[in-house]
Amino acid sequence: MITVNNLVKVFGHLEVLRGISCHIEAKEVVVIIGPSGSGKSTFLRCLNQLEKATSGEIIIDGINVTDPRTDINAVRQEVGMVFQRFNLFPHMTALQNVALAPMKVRKQPRREAEKLAMDLLERVGLQDKIHQYPEKLSGGQQQRVAIARSLAMRPKVMLFDEPTSALDPEMVGEVLEVIKSLAKEGMTMVVVSHEMGFAREVGDRVIFMDEGLIVEEGDPEQLYTNPRHQRTRLFLSKIL
Amino acid sequence: MDFRFEVIMRYLPLLLQGMKLTFQLTITAVAIGTIIGLFVSLCRIASFKPAAWMAKGYVDFFRGTPLLVQIFLIHYGFPQLFGMNAFPAYLSGIIALSLNSGAYIAEIFRAGIQSIHRGQMEAARSLGMNYAQAMFYIILPQAFKRCIPPLGNEFIAMLKDSSLVSVIALQELMMSGRIMQGRSYRPFETWVTVAMLYLVMTLTISQFVSYLERVFGKDDHGE
C-alpha cells in the first residue's frame, strides 16, 4: 500500500529525515516510536505531503505522491490524518466538521453527507453530541470527532500523529478503542504513538526511529522485549 | 458669551446635506476597500511571489503616503499625465478613499488570517480540500470574526479622513462647514456643530460594530 524509497527531508540546515525506506502492506498497522526530534512526525507528514519531501519517493496505492505532477488533493482524499491537537473546525458543530469534506470535496448531497456523518459519529460513540461545537467537547470526544471526520472521506490509509498525547490520561482509552476497532476492520494505519499496550495489541510492526533514520523494526513483542540495538534499548528503558 | 443658536438652525439643512455625502462616501469607500483588502491580503500571503510583492507595494504606498497627496494625485495628477479631463470630484474622492482604505483593510485581513492556527489549514488540506476551499470554508470565516473590531476602527478612521476630499470641492460635511463659516462669520457655531455631527456618525458606527461583535461573537467557538 505504501512504499517509501530513500526519503530525505531538510529544514534549512537541519536534516530531519536522512533516508527512510520502508514498505507497508495493505491492512497493516504500523506503529512508529522514537525520541522527540527523531523525525517520526515529519515522516508521517511527508506521507500526505503536508511536508514536501526534499528527495526520495513515496508511492501510495500505486500513485507517486512525490511527483509534482500528481494531484495531491486527490491523494489526500484517500489518506486520512488525525492530529495530536485534533484541529477540529471551531466554527462548526461535530456534524458539520464531519460532513464538510464529503460535501465540498466528494460533492455528495448534503443529506447523504449528513447521514454519513451521523453514522460515523455514532460509531465513535458520539451520537448525542452531533450538534455540539468542539469547545463544548472534552479532548477525547474532540479526537473521536476528528477520527470520524477523516473516515468520512472513506480513506484507504489512516495516519495518526500522536493521537493521544494531548489527552488527559482518563481519555486515552476511549480514543485508543476507536483506533483499535479500525485496525480490526482492516484499515491500513500508520500510528506515531508511545502507547505500548496499543502497539502490542493491534500493531503488526513497530518501527523505531532515531535521528532521522529507521534504527530497527519488527514484531512489537520482539521489539519491546528484546530490542537488538543499543539505542532502541536505551529509548525503551526511558519510556517504560 | 456670544453664542447664537439660531445660526445653527439656519445652516443645519446645509450641514445635514454634507453629512449625508460624508456617510455615502465612507460607506462606499469601506465597502470597496473591503473587497480590495480581501483580494490584496490573499495576494500578500500567496506563495506566488510576484503577487505578494505587488500587494506589498500597494499597501506600502497607500499607507506610507498622506491621503491628501493621494487625492491630489488621482484628481489632478493622472488626468494631466494621460491628457484627459479630470474625473468628477465624487468619483476621484471614492477612488482615493477606497484605495487608501483597501490598504489598511488588507493588513487587517492579513493579520486575521495569520492569527488562525496553522493546524486548521493542515486539517482542511489533509481532507483533500484545495487551498481555495480551505480558505473559504475554514480560514476566512474564523478570521473574519476576529477582524470585526479592527474593521470598526478603520470604518471610523475613514469617516474622519473623508473630510480631506473637501480639497477637491466635494461638498461633504467638512466643506459644508467651510461654506457655513464663510456665509455666517460664526466659526464657533459652525465647527462645534460639525464636530457634533461627526461624533453622531462615529458613535453610531461603534454601536453598530459592537452589535456585530455580539451577533458573531455569540457563536464564537474555540480560540
Side-chain angles (χ1 to χ4, degrees), chain A residues 45 48 50 73 76-77 79 81 83 87-92 100-101 104-105 107 133 135 149-150 153, chain B residues 117-120 122-131 133 137-138 141-142 145 219-223:
Chain A
R45 293 160 58 84
N48 72 349
L50 281 183
N73 295 323
R76 285 178 180 145
Q77 294 172 30
V79 182
M81 184 160 204
F83 300 85
N87 295 341
L88 289 183
F89 307 134
H91 58 305
M92 296 181 180
L100 182 73
K104 301 304 176 193
V105 180
K107 311 290 180 202
Y133 284 90
E135 63 166 0
R149 180 175 68 177
S150 280
M153 292 301 287
Chain B
H117 192 269
R118 195 168 66 115
Q120 292 289 310
E122 291 181 350
R125 297 303 305 273
S126 71
L127 288 165
M129 285 185 224
N130 59 37
Y131 180 83
Q133 287 173 322
Y137 296 114
I138 306 303
Q142 296 182 60
K145 226 177 273 179
D219 51 38
D220 185 19
H221 309 279
E223 328 136 82

Side-chain angles (χ1 to χ4, degrees), chain A residues 59-78:
Chain A
I59 293 156
I60 298 180
D61 200 25
I63 298 166
N64 184 348
V65 301
T66 38
D67 185 336
R69 286 165 300 182
T70 301
D71 176 6
I72 193 63
N73 295 323
V75 174
R76 285 178 180 145
Q77 294 172 30
E78 312 298 332

Side-chain angles (χ1 to χ4, degrees), chain A:
Chain A
M1 181 61 96
I2 303 175
T3 303
V4 179
N5 289 323
N6 206 18
L7 174 64
V8 173
K9 174 68 189 180
V10 180
F11 288 112
H13 294 294
L14 190 64
E15 212 176 6
V16 182
L17 298 178
R18 300 191 293 151
I20 302 269
S21 298
C22 68
H23 180 75
I24 295 166
E25 292 293 334
K27 302 193 175 189
E28 198 179 7
V29 177
V30 173
V31 177
I32 302 178
I33 61 173
S36 69
S38 59
K40 53 195 194 305
S41 279
T42 305
F43 172 59
L44 203 67
R45 293 160 58 84
C46 281
L47 292 181
N48 72 349
Q49 292 288 288
L50 281 183
E51 304 290 356
K52 292 248 176 302
T54 306
S55 69
E57 189 177 57
I58 301 168
I59 293 156
I60 298 180
D61 200 25
I63 298 166
N64 184 348
V65 301
T66 38
D67 185 336
R69 286 165 300 182
T70 301
D71 176 6
I72 193 63
N73 295 323
V75 174
R76 285 178 180 145
Q77 294 172 30
E78 312 298 332
V79 182
M81 184 160 204
V82 173
F83 300 85
Q84 184 178 357
R85 310 277 342 177
F86 332 131
N87 295 341
L88 289 183
F89 307 134
H91 58 305
M92 296 181 180
T93 63
L95 187 75
Q96 291 167 333
N97 264 279
V98 180
L100 182 73
M103 271 163 54
K104 301 304 176 193
V105 180
R106 292 244 192 263
K107 311 290 180 202
Q108 288 183 19
R110 174 180 294 272
R111 187 178 300 186
E112 202 178 291
E114 287 184 347
K115 172 78 174 63
L116 170 71
M118 268 187 272
D119 290 347
L120 285 167
L121 286 169
E122 189 177 342
R123 175 171 167 184
V124 299
L126 293 171
Q127 56 280 4
D128 52 341
K129 302 284 183 197
I130 55 173
H131 295 304
Q132 296 285 354
Y133 284 90
E135 63 166 0
K136 296 273 190 260
L137 301 174
S138 72
Q141 291 169 336
Q142 289 193 48
Q143 193 61 299
R144 285 185 281 153
V145 174
I147 293 171
R149 180 175 68 177
S150 280
L151 292 176
M153 292 301 287
R154 305 198 181 286
K156 295 183 178 133
V157 178
M158 285 285 283
L159 309 175
F160 291 87
D161 189 5
E162 305 205 31
T164 58
S165 39
L167 296 176
D168 290 336
E170 77 270 21
M171 292 168 184
V172 170
E174 64 191 55
V175 171
L176 288 181
E177 277 313 310
V178 172
I179 303 177
K180 280 181 205 165
S181 75
L182 281 176
K184 286 178 185 138
E185 286 167 26
M187 176 68 81
T188 307
M189 302 201 288
V190 185
V191 186
V192 172
S193 173
H194 292 154
E195 298 289 338
M196 197 177 60
F198 168 80
R200 281 185 149 151
E201 191 177 336
V202 298
D204 296 305
R205 187 161 35 130
V206 173
I207 291 178
F208 172 67
M209 282 180 66
D210 194 18
E211 294 179 348
L213 289 169
I214 293 179
V215 176
E216 174 167 3
E217 58 184 305
D219 170 71
E221 215 48 56
Q222 173 262 317
L223 191 130
Y224 280 117
T225 52
N226 189 21
R228 277 169 307 187
H229 286 263
Q230 181 58 33
R231 273 193 288 173
T232 320
R233 233 169 278 152
L234 195 66
F235 173 72
L236 288 173
S237 73
K238 282 181 194 152
I239 63 159
L240 295 183

Side-chain angles (χ1 to χ4, degrees), chain B residues 124-174:
Chain B
R125 297 303 305 273
S126 71
L127 288 165
M129 285 185 224
N130 59 37
Y131 180 83
Q133 287 173 322
M135 257 303 158
F136 187 76
Y137 296 114
I138 306 303
I139 307 299
L140 289 179
Q142 296 182 60
F144 183 69
K145 226 177 273 179
R146 295 187 190 178
C147 289
I148 293 173
L151 281 175
N153 287 340
E154 168 57 20
F155 201 160
I156 289 172
M158 188 40 58
L159 189 118
K160 294 185 292 178
D161 286 352
S162 72
S163 59
L164 287 170
V165 298
S166 60
V167 296
I168 52 173
L170 259 181
Q171 202 181 321
E172 40 65 76
L173 184 50
M174 182 72 196

